[in-house]
Amino acid sequence: MTILVIAEHDNASLKPATLNTVTAALQCGGEVHVLVAGHNAGPAAAAAAGVAGVAKVLHMDADSLAHGLAEHLSVQILALASAYSHILFAATATGKNVAPRLAALLDVAQVSDVTKVLSPDTYERPIYAGNAIATVQSSDTIQVLTVRTTGFDAAALNAQPPAPIESVEVLPVPGGTRYVGSEIARNDRPELTAAKIIVSGGRALGSQEKFAEVITPLADKLGAAIGASRAAVDAGYAANDLQVGQTGKIVAPQLYIAAGISGAIQHLAGMKDSKVIVAINKDAEAPIFSVADYGLVADLFVAVPELVSAL
């Protein structure tokens, strides 16, 4: 049994989600290969070769793969698929874009958001916003999985000796899809899904100005990423890419501070795996306190500045 992990990278380095996906692949019980498909992505391939547990790295390099277009990448993976029992993606925007296309091309049933590997064909995944855990068994010859990275520890780096890197032929890509451009949001803070500390604000902050005025100083003190509830995002207090929750980003930092967030089930689904959860809310009955390790019933406009001052 041989397992293929599709690496996420920026052609220069691996994305952290790839390391969690490798751990899930190792738990499936076979030899693990990693595919790095890109353009001038040699540094990313070298990084993948240093991941503990990886037996081989497959390196595809072509102009057509520079931007990771799902339509182009799925065709390349399809050509390799017959050699593998499992093909794993991180359950990120990229993984969720490519994996369903590959599953359709293979005519198999994708298993999404795997949080635990029970056996080579049986997995656990959350349903109903995490209120229940489904046990899913796949009978497909080739199993296509997306892995919820918060369910698995990151694989170690700098394995010695590094795994061999094999160059793989790139097939012609289908027409109809082309890269036009990107608008990249610049952010000096840690990326939300990889941050070790996150400070999130909710609708109780009342305005975009108050959100920045209260949340930003605390995040600055802690070197933290900033998150937000869907209510805060919908109200325009924070940008869409800061949303944490079922329809936003799934996070599991070492420390998650929720200020003015009531704790709707959709938000809890995105952060309840955090190692330590601190909730600040003036409503003692707020659902967020049911998952918090530390709860402070207080006015956030008083408590958060005092916390910043103390820090």
Side-chain angles (χ1 to χ4, degrees), residues 180-201:
V180 175
S182 301
E183 293 184 14
I184 308 298
R186 299 297 176 189
N187 190 352
D188 294 332
R189 297 187 183 280
E191 205 281 318
L192 195 57
T193 55
K196 293 184 177 180
I197 303 173
I198 296 174
V199 179
S200 278

Side-chain angles (χ1 to χ4, degrees), residues 143-168:
Q143 298 183 26
V144 176
L145 316 177
T146 61
V147 173
R148 182 171 287 194
T149 55
T150 56
F152 300 90
D153 293 333
L157 290 169
N158 302 318
Q160 296 296 330
I165 300 174
E166 176 185 321
S167 294
V168 178

Side-chain angles (χ1 to χ4, degrees), residues 106-186:
L106 290 170
D107 193 25
V108 300
Q110 175 184 317
V111 183
S112 302
D113 274 330
V114 170
T115 54
K116 190 174 184 179
V117 177
L118 300 178
S119 73
D121 66 350
T122 307
Y123 316 95
E124 287 186 356
R125 61 179 298 268
I127 57 174
Y128 306 131
N131 272 327
I133 302 297
T135 299
V136 181
Q137 186 172 33
S138 174
S139 59
D140 289 315
T141 305
I142 301 174
Q143 298 183 26
V144 176
L145 316 177
T146 61
V147 173
R148 182 171 287 194
T149 55
T150 56
F152 300 90
D153 293 333
L157 290 169
N158 302 318
Q160 296 296 330
I165 300 174
E166 176 185 321
S167 294
V168 178
E169 180 184 0
V170 179
L171 300 178
V173 298
T177 304
R178 62 188 177 89
Y179 174 78
V180 175
S182 301
E183 293 184 14
I184 308 298
R186 299 297 176 189

Side-chain angles (χ1 to χ4, degrees), residues 64-74 97-98 177-180:
S64 59
L65 301 176
H67 304 290
L69 296 181
E71 294 82 355
H72 296 175
L73 184 54
S74 56
N97 197 11
V98 183
T177 304
R178 62 188 177 89
Y179 174 78
V180 175

Side-chain angles (χ1 to χ4, degrees), residues 15-78:
K15 297 290 181 66
T18 301
L19 304 180
N20 306 85
T21 309
V22 167
T23 298
L26 290 168
Q27 292 181 12
C28 290
E31 183 174 281
V32 175
H33 296 177
V34 174
L35 173 64
V36 177
H39 183 49
N40 295 328
V51 176
V54 172
K56 182 165 68 174
V57 174
L58 306 180
H59 183 202
M60 286 184 173
D61 202 286
D63 289 344
S64 59
L65 301 176
H67 304 290
L69 296 181
E71 294 82 355
H72 296 175
L73 184 54
S74 56
V75 170
Q76 308 302 329
I77 302 169
L78 179 66

Side-chain angles (χ1 to χ4, degrees), residues 15 57 62 68 127 137 159 204 208 212 215 223 233 243 265 272 282 285 292:
K15 297 290 181 66
V57 174
I127 57 174
Q137 186 172 33
Q208 183 177 7
I215 298 299
V233 169
Q243 183 181 328
I265 187 172
K272 65 183 181 181
K282 66 181 180 181
E285 302 301 319

Side-chain angles (χ1 to χ4, degrees), residues 212-240:
E213 183 182 313
V214 175
I215 298 299
T216 302
L218 180 56
D220 288 343
K221 282 284 188 180
L222 296 172
I226 290 178
S229 67
R230 176 171 179 170
V233 169
D234 287 349
Y237 304 165
N240 288 339

